Amino acid sequence: IAKRNCGGILLIVSNPVDILTYTALKLSGFPENRVLGSGTVLDTARLKYNLGEHLNVDSRSVHAFIIGEHGDSELAAWSSATVSGVPINTFCEMRGHAKKKATYFGVAMAVRRICEAIIRDEKSILPVSNLMHGEFGISDISLSMPAIVGAHGVENRIPITLDEEETEKLQSSAGTLKKIIEE
């Protein structure tokens, strides 16, 4: 692909997605906005679905992200989670709780969602794996963070608020990925 002057976008959908996204970026020579991994889109969809079921609201009104490594060190960014702009903790207190139900999504649905955002130039905010540049003290590693995804791939990363514990967990997640890259 690197030899062909390809103008496309590389969407990595294989595990370990963050490591392979980083490797594809380095080997392809593509601009970093055109190399992204499926990241935690599926994990985030599951979280939003489960929160919607738990709170008895449409999951499309739930705004929350799973960030970091797609794997054991990923984390839910609770401090920035909201239901239609209301902080999740406040909404839980207001709403009470409903019984959880199981959900069954597949990675194909997540990939379809990312491809739709690219093909339709939707400028959707999705937690895709992409290269970090010092955010939260993390550089030169690909991991999942919310980003605007459109026809040009990752168009901008969205700033997200994390508390101190979440920041430490995200840094630990990045450290896990860096160790694998070094090996």
Side-chain angles (χ1 to χ4, degrees):
I1 293 174
K3 294 177 184 178
R4 297 269 185 233
N5 193 24
C6 176
I9 292 172
L10 294 179
L11 173 56
I12 310 305
V13 187
S14 184
N15 284 324
V17 70
D18 304 299
I19 299 299
L20 293 173
T21 300
Y22 179 83
T23 302
L25 174 63
K26 296 301 179 183
L27 294 178
S28 70
F30 275 36
E32 66 183 70
N33 64 295
R34 291 182 23 223
V35 180
L36 61 147
S38 56
T40 56
V41 172
L42 177 57
D43 309 75
T44 294
R46 287 179 174 144
L47 173 66
K48 291 172 65 171
Y49 177 85
N50 285 331
L51 285 171
E53 288 290 301
H54 185 71
L55 298 171
N56 200 26
V57 297
D58 186 336
S59 63
R60 293 174 294 185
S61 297
V62 177
H63 306 285
F65 294 104
I66 299 289
I67 59 172
E69 171 208 14
H70 172 70
D72 293 339
S73 68
E74 68 187 19
L75 63 135
W78 293 116
S79 61
S80 64
T82 65
V83 178
S84 292
V86 178
I88 195 83
N89 289 340
T90 303
F91 195 87
C92 285
E93 291 172 11
M94 291 170 27
R95 189 72 170 140
H97 301 283
K99 291 183 180 178
K100 284 187 176 181
K101 294 181 183 174
T103 178
Y104 304 98
F105 288 98
V107 72
M109 293 298 288
V111 172
R112 177 178 165 253
R113 181 68 197 100
I114 296 166
C115 289
E116 283 176 346
I118 293 168
I119 291 167
R120 295 178 181 167
D121 195 21
E122 291 179 354
K123 313 245 186 279
S124 295
I125 299 173
L126 300 170
V128 294
S129 183
N130 59 103
L131 193 65
M132 298 290 285
H133 291 284
E135 302 89 346
F136 303 102
I138 302 168
S139 293
D140 200 35
I141 195 73
S142 293
L143 51 72
S144 293
M145 294 298 286
I148 297 173
V149 178
H152 302 289
V154 174
E155 298 188 0
N156 282 316
R157 209 165 7 269
I158 299 300
I160 188 169
T161 302
L162 301 179
D163 64 24
E164 189 174 324
E165 182 182 355
E166 291 167 335
T167 300
E168 289 172 6
K169 286 181 178 178
L170 183 63
Q171 290 168 342
S172 176
S173 183
T176 298
L177 291 168
K178 282 197 178 239
K179 285 178 188 170
I180 295 168
I181 292 279
E182 290 168 5
E183 290 173 6

